Amino acid sequence: MYVRTDRFFLFQRLCWMVDLSVEIGGIKLNNPVMPASGTYEFSEQHKGFFPPSELGALVTKTIFTEPRHGNPPPRVWETPCGLLNSIGIPSEGVENFINFKLPYLRKIGPPLIVSIAENTVESFIQLCKKVEDTGQADMLELDLSCPNIQKGTEWSADEATLYRIVKSIKESTSLPVIAKLSPLVSDIGGMAQCAEEAGADAVSMINTIKGMAININKRKPAMGNKTGGLSGPAIHPLAVYAVYSSYKKIKIPIIGVGGISSWKDAVELILAGATAVGVGMYNFINPSAMKEIISGIEKYLKDNGFKSVKDITGLAVD
Ligand SMILES: Cc1cc2nc3c(=O)[nH]c(=O)nc-3n(C[C@H](O)[C@H](O)[C@H](O)COP(=O)(O)O)c2cc1C
């Protein structure tokens, strides 16, 4: 009797299983949820909330070739519906990253996306090669859209520059390449198309949006760098629009990023056309958010009779 009951429950569970797996750049992710670059430290502290091995992919903070300090403080400023940050991408430099961080990240398990940035096409290519030569990275994400560094958003501000950087990198690496785009253009779908034509294997959108706050007591800009990038719930509708308006224009997968604070926001981006989603600022508020979002997507699929997350990608786009 005991055994039969057990089998019955197992059978019931199997009938209810939904497929959360997706594919980006020819690589299988067990589920569509990953951290947005720069917002999640794969440290021992985080392990207490949930094992990062449960994530669909790991995404590193953007690294540069040489060590960098980042911008002067204050580097973050809370707004009513989000966060301004002007971290300015401090980096330990690629050698330290390869020697000390990469081996640890590789052991965690899920596909590893290494985010990189540089100031010239040539140095971008050199950095790609350094990362690729380790044999430890599964994909590269090109940060072409950071509003807090010199030349950050310029890479994805016009089609000619975007095409040149993506094509040059694709010609010099065999790793799948994700182009991270800025929403600060008149036609984000056109930019996604341009990245695809240049050979990108996927696009991620959106990065933060340049903004500013004034400290009224000091009567001066609130942030050390004067301006910062806005993230969080305030930018979610911009991310939904960016994904929605790109979906029909390209065949490569979209990683939808921007203002996700619950599984509902993640499902919204998937319905708008995202194959996978990146959770950013909300990781600071709720370090278990990504785990809850994975379960929330799974429950949504079950409750609505879908067998696979792939069945709802772009379903809201006509
Ligand atoms: C503190 C902070 C640091 C970030 N660092 C990076 C970075 O190093 N590279 C990058 O491509 N994006 C970086 N971002 C942008 C996020 O990856 C993401 O695109 C953006 O925050 C929008 O998502 P969100 O609204 O969920 O935060 C950073 C964002 C924040 C808030």
Side-chain angles (χ1 to χ4, degrees), residues 170-196:
K170 273 301 288 180
E171 283 171 352
S172 63
T173 180
S174 60
L175 288 175
V177 168
I178 304 164
K180 186 164 182 181
L181 302 178
S182 166
L184 289 178
V185 288
S186 56
D187 175 16
I188 179 91
M191 297 308 280
Q193 223 169 358
C194 171
E196 180 178 51

Side-chain angles (χ1 to χ4, degrees), residues 36-38 61-62 85 143 180 206-208 231-232 257-259 280-281:
S37 174
K61 178 153 184 75
T62 301
N85 94 80
D143 182 354
K180 186 164 182 181
I206 54 178
N207 211 319
T208 58
S231 59
V257 185
M281 189 211 91

Side-chain angles (χ1 to χ4, degrees), residues 36-39 61-62 76 83 85 87 89 115 141 143 180 206-208 230-233 235 257-260 278-282 284:
S37 174
T39 63
K61 178 153 184 75
T62 301
V76 288
L83 181 80
N85 94 80
I87 308 289
I89 316 196
S115 169
E141 182 173 79
D143 182 354
K180 186 164 182 181
I206 54 178
N207 211 319
T208 58
L230 185 64
S231 59
I235 70 165
V257 185
I260 296 178
V279 182
M281 189 211 91
Y282 209 71
F284 303 133

Side-chain angles (χ1 to χ4, degrees), residues 1-312:
M1 187 60 194
Y2 214 134
V3 175
R4 278 183 58 193
T5 313
D6 256 9
R7 278 200 189 136
F8 176 71
F9 280 125
L10 181 65
F11 176 70
Q12 222 183 14
R13 238 184 100 86
L14 283 173
C15 293
W16 273 101
M17 269 179 37
V18 291
D19 179 13
L20 285 180
S21 71
V22 295
E23 206 178 288
I24 310 261
I27 292 174
K28 186 185 168 198
L29 279 55
N30 286 340
N31 67 69
V33 180
M34 63 185 81
S37 174
T39 63
Y40 190 80
E41 190 67 32
F42 300 94
S43 62
E44 290 301 313
Q45 287 122 302
H46 270 104
K47 271 191 183 163
F49 293 96
F50 70 94
S53 55
E54 291 181 13
L55 291 166
L58 312 182
V59 185
T60 69
K61 178 153 184 75
T62 301
I63 56 158
F64 276 78
T65 310
E66 297 299 331
R68 293 162 49 95
H69 288 300
N71 289 334
R75 290 174 168 190
V76 288
W77 190 263
E78 255 185 78
T79 69
C81 295
L83 181 80
L84 277 169
N85 94 80
S86 181
I87 308 289
I89 316 196
S91 172
E92 72 258 61
V94 70
E95 296 301 338
N96 276 315
F97 172 77
I98 289 172
N99 292 331
F100 301 110
K101 261 206 187 132
L102 197 52
Y104 169 75
L105 292 170
R106 182 68 282 171
K107 274 195 213 138
I108 297 175
L112 178 60
I113 301 174
V114 177
S115 169
I116 57 170
E118 262 301 338
N119 297 317
T120 65
V121 174
E122 293 67 32
S123 50
F124 238 126
I125 291 173
Q126 290 310 315
L127 182 54
C128 284
K129 285 193 178 139
K130 283 208 162 136
V131 175
E132 182 174 11
D133 285 350
T134 64
Q136 310 268 300
D138 295 299
M139 282 181 257
L140 295 170
E141 182 173 79
L142 313 181
D143 182 354
L144 305 173
S145 44
C146 176
N148 302 319
I149 55 171
Q150 218 190 350
K151 214 171 173 198
T153 48
E154 280 171 42
W155 290 115
S156 60
D158 70 87
E159 290 194 359
T161 312
L162 178 65
Y163 188 86
R164 184 162 154 254
I165 184 67
V166 175
K167 193 161 176 57
S168 307
I169 289 180
K170 273 301 288 180
E171 283 171 352
S172 63
T173 180
S174 60
L175 288 175
V177 168
I178 304 164
K180 186 164 182 181
L181 302 178
S182 166
L184 289 178
V185 288
S186 56
D187 175 16
I188 179 91
M191 297 308 280
Q193 223 169 358
C194 171
E196 180 178 51
E197 280 162 18
D201 298 276
V203 287
S204 57
M205 53 177 74
I206 54 178
N207 211 319
T208 58
I209 296 146
K210 194 176 262 197
M212 206 173 170
I214 304 292
N215 182 328
I216 60 164
N217 296 319
K218 294 186 175 165
R219 291 173 281 283
K220 284 193 184 313
M223 311 193 70
N225 193 42
K226 295 197 171 100
T227 59
L230 185 64
S231 59
I235 70 165
H236 183 63
L238 306 185
V240 174
Y241 170 73
V243 172
Y244 186 93
S245 56
S246 301
Y247 178 64
K248 279 262 168 100
K249 292 192 170 170
I250 56 174
K251 294 201 171 57
I252 53 175
I254 302 171
I255 302 171
V257 185
I260 296 178
S261 59
S262 72
W263 64 266
K264 289 181 190 163
D265 297 327
V267 167
E268 208 183 341
L269 279 171
I270 296 169
L271 290 170
T275 293
V277 292
V279 182
M281 189 211 91
Y282 209 71
N283 288 317
F284 303 133
I285 295 172
N286 175 7
S288 300
M290 289 190 287
K291 185 183 170 65
E292 292 167 16
I293 289 167
I294 297 168
S295 320
I297 296 172
E298 188 175 21
K299 184 168 183 317
Y300 174 84
L301 294 172
K302 281 179 185 169
D303 289 352
N304 290 279
F306 292 103
K307 288 208 165 67
S308 161
V309 67
K310 295 186 264 301
D311 296 342
I312 67 161

